[in-house]
Amino acid sequence: MKKIVRYLTPAVLAALTACGGGGEEASDSGSSNNEGQSEQSQQESSNDKGETITFGKTSWTSTAAPTQIAKQMLEEAGYNVEVELLDQPVIWEGMQSEEIDVFMDAWLPYTEEQLWSEYKSDLQKVSTSYEEVPTGWVVPEYVEAESIADIKENPEKFGGKIYTIGAGAGIVNTSKEVMADYNLEEAGFELLPSSETAMISELKSKISNEEPVIITGWRPHSMFVDYDLKFLDEPKENFKYDNVYVLSYKGMEEKYPEAYEILSNWSISVDTLEQMMYEYAQNDVPFEELAADWIEENPDKVDAMMEGQE
């Protein structure tokens, strides 16, 4: 087994340099520096498999950090890695056609049940990122409502609006079911798909004035670090606790066995991921840098993921 030669990929070097790392090596003599570059070039050359792994990534911040960590680790293992920013249904279709190799953020068995039913004959669960995480409708803690039944009584209090993310996402489809099951359109509510960024902007604006607001929410997400929020009770249980999986198409383990082996050992805690998302949202720390830091701080976990490398 080859343990990871830590932090020598271009992506990781760039991230560490941004943090101020690498200054000591830069002050070495020219001959020593050239020798180090030669050794690094030889290492990269020996690791280069000449194969490209393509990740599908949504605009959700919960997808960004895991994708970036996996990208840097697969680059260290010698793969070229590309990341395609796509709508969620397009990613699943791309995996079916093997144009997309991996998706790091599939919510199953409930939130993305429709997509899984459509594509499960061609796709597989590679590993579990984290388990038992909630989705649902979220309000600030200062809002008196505790359940869907409570908001139905006072639609004008919320402007008749429920803010959500892009159409086609599992949480949007489930929200449509909630709208129908509780007759919320007849009560005066409207579900408004937009983007995660627009939804969070609306939440921030309303909280700054301590106004009532309803959004679709899920954990992990930095909103639960930023604000005091609560999920509304939903007695008909359209929203259920999910696990989050890494997906690929069936046969990836034969096409890219080492990449598959690395990804099959992947996991991350919800608290860790939310903190990374918070650093990105509040302190403008790039996910590339956050991923490099995670790799640096978790050597045992990284080595375990890299088991199986020749």
Side-chain angles (χ1 to χ4, degrees), residues 63-266:
T63 315
T67 301
Q68 186 57 225
I69 293 170
K71 175 181 183 290
Q72 292 185 21
M73 293 184 65
L74 291 186
E75 285 176 338
E76 186 61 53
Y79 291 96
N80 302 312
V81 180
E82 296 180 355
V83 178
E84 298 285 347
L85 181 62
L86 300 165
D87 290 337
Q88 186 195 32
V90 179
I91 292 173
W92 291 61
E93 183 180 350
M95 287 190 290
Q96 182 187 50
S97 64
E98 300 188 15
E99 295 175 82
I100 300 295
D101 297 300
V102 183
F103 180 47
M104 298 291 293
D105 202 16
W107 292 62
L108 295 167
Y110 302 113
T111 303
E112 290 159 10
E113 180 181 3
Q114 290 181 346
L115 284 168
W116 183 248
S117 295
E118 182 176 355
Y119 292 103
K120 65 182 179 181
S121 61
D122 298 304
L123 305 185
Q124 63 182 333
K125 298 170 185 173
V126 178
S127 58
T128 305
S129 286
Y130 39 90
E131 298 180 326
E132 290 292 300
V133 285
T135 62
W137 289 3
V138 169
V139 298
E141 189 65 48
Y142 58 74
V143 172
E144 292 182 2
E146 299 294 332
S147 71
I148 301 291
D150 293 338
I151 68 164
K152 187 176 179 180
E153 299 302 317
N154 296 288
E156 65 282 352
K157 181 178 179 180
F158 302 93
K161 295 179 173 62
I162 296 125
Y163 299 95
T164 187
I165 58 175
I171 198 169
V172 179
N173 294 332
T174 304
S175 292
K176 290 178 180 178
E177 296 171 2
V178 172
M179 293 287 290
D181 279 358
Y182 294 87
N183 298 312
L184 291 177
E185 284 190 10
E186 291 84 346
F189 278 101
E190 179 184 9
L191 184 67
L192 297 176
S194 54
S195 68
E196 181 185 350
T197 300
M199 181 185 75
I200 297 302
S201 177
E202 194 66 42
L203 175 69
K204 181 178 180 180
S205 174
K206 290 290 196 291
I207 287 179
S208 68
N209 296 311
E210 204 163 312
E211 297 174 359
V213 61
I214 306 169
I215 67 167
T216 54
W218 60 91
R219 292 196 67 191
H221 198 285
S222 60
M223 71 174 92
F224 292 98
V225 180
D226 292 337
Y227 307 113
D228 194 8
L229 304 172
K230 61 185 177 183
F231 284 94
L232 291 173
D233 291 336
E234 197 268 291
K236 296 186 179 182
E237 297 186 344
N238 290 280
F239 290 112
K240 301 179 179 72
Y241 279 71
D242 265 318
N243 297 334
V244 176
Y245 297 95
V246 176
L247 297 188
S248 74
Y249 48 82
K250 292 179 179 177
M252 183 193 172
E253 65 273 27
E254 298 170 359
K255 190 175 181 180
Y256 303 118
E258 294 179 7
Y260 183 89
E261 179 68 23
I262 292 169
L263 295 169
S264 68
N265 292 314
W266 165 255

